[in-house]
Amino acid sequence: QNLDDLNRYFRAWLEKMYHQRTHSTLKKRPAAVLTTHGPLRLVDPHVLEDAFQWTYKAKVDKTACISVQGNTYEVESILVGRTVTLRYNPFDLTRIQVWLEGKHYANAVPLKMRRHTDKRVTQADSPPSELPTEPGISFLETITAAHEKQRQQSLGRTSFARALKDGESHDD
């Protein structure tokens, strides 16, 4: 399965299951709330990325360098001798933000890279390269098929499968 399949499954589940059931907090169907409050506002991807960054404190040495996970980085010389806060994505140690007292300085410049990911990130944290497939009826396939059928009907198109099903019901 690839990301497109997973997104298709998610959209189908969201439309056919989640949005159609009464929410315990809202006391309404989420679909009804969405129609009364207008379109969703999307979060800026950069804001989202920043929200999940890890932080680390490091003291800048006399050569304006810091060490993170065995890697050596150069920072602005004005920071020599200061303890700075570093913000980074644990899956990408090539980009490290440098902060001091709420002010963002130039990103740390990698000088010597030994690791490209934080050592605390394990293989279990990374998505598997290939998801196992299991035989039998798939809930996601079933709900996605129902979602696609409803979508086609709303577009005013009749699918071949629907035409066959309608033909079968007339034979009874």
Side-chain angles (χ1 to χ4, degrees):
Q1 294 178 348
N2 61 34
L3 184 58
D4 290 335
D5 290 337
L6 294 175
N7 284 332
R8 190 169 49 92
Y9 292 150
F10 176 72
R11 278 191 306 274
W13 172 83
L14 190 67
E15 293 301 321
K16 296 295 290 176
M17 302 293 292
Y18 181 79
H19 284 306
Q20 303 310 319
R21 293 185 178 171
T22 301
H23 192 275
S24 60
T25 302
L26 299 171
K27 306 296 185 215
K28 298 177 183 176
R29 293 181 310 113
V33 174
L34 284 173
T35 57
T36 59
H37 294 298
L40 295 176
R41 291 172 295 167
L42 300 177
V43 176
D44 181 309
H46 297 293
V47 171
L48 192 59
E49 181 182 355
D50 284 348
F52 288 97
Q53 287 187 333
W54 289 11
T55 59
Y56 176 74
K57 294 210 182 268
K59 186 169 183 174
V60 180
D61 70 17
K62 62 185 176 185
T63 63
C65 290
I66 55 169
S67 178
V68 178
Q69 301 282 319
N71 298 333
T72 304
Y73 301 85
E74 184 177 19
V75 298
E76 293 184 52
S77 59
I78 195 169
L79 299 171
V80 168
R82 308 288 300 266
T83 299
V84 295
T85 300
L86 308 173
R87 299 182 73 207
Y88 63 94
N89 175 339
F91 295 99
D92 180 13
L93 294 178
T94 61
R95 288 189 39 229
I96 296 185
Q97 295 178 4
V98 180
W99 293 80
L100 178 64
E101 298 172 354
K103 181 180 177 191
H104 182 218
Y105 288 81
N107 286 354
V109 177
L111 297 177
K112 183 161 74 172
M113 296 293 295
R114 293 182 182 191
R115 299 189 60 86
H116 289 277
T117 61
D118 191 296
K119 65 184 172 189
R120 294 169 291 181
V121 174
T122 65
Q123 290 295 337
D125 294 330
S126 302
S129 58
E130 187 175 317
L131 297 174
T133 58
E134 296 181 19
I137 297 172
S138 165
F139 170 76
L140 292 174
E141 285 292 344
T142 303
I143 198 74
T144 301
H147 178 255
E148 286 297 319
K149 180 179 175 181
Q150 181 182 18
R151 192 168 127 322
Q152 290 297 324
Q153 287 173 345
S154 69
L155 294 173
R157 298 181 187 141
T158 304
S159 70
F160 180 70
R162 179 170 167 76
L164 282 178
K165 185 176 180 187
D166 288 345
E168 288 172 8
S169 64
H170 293 299
D171 292 341
D172 291 342

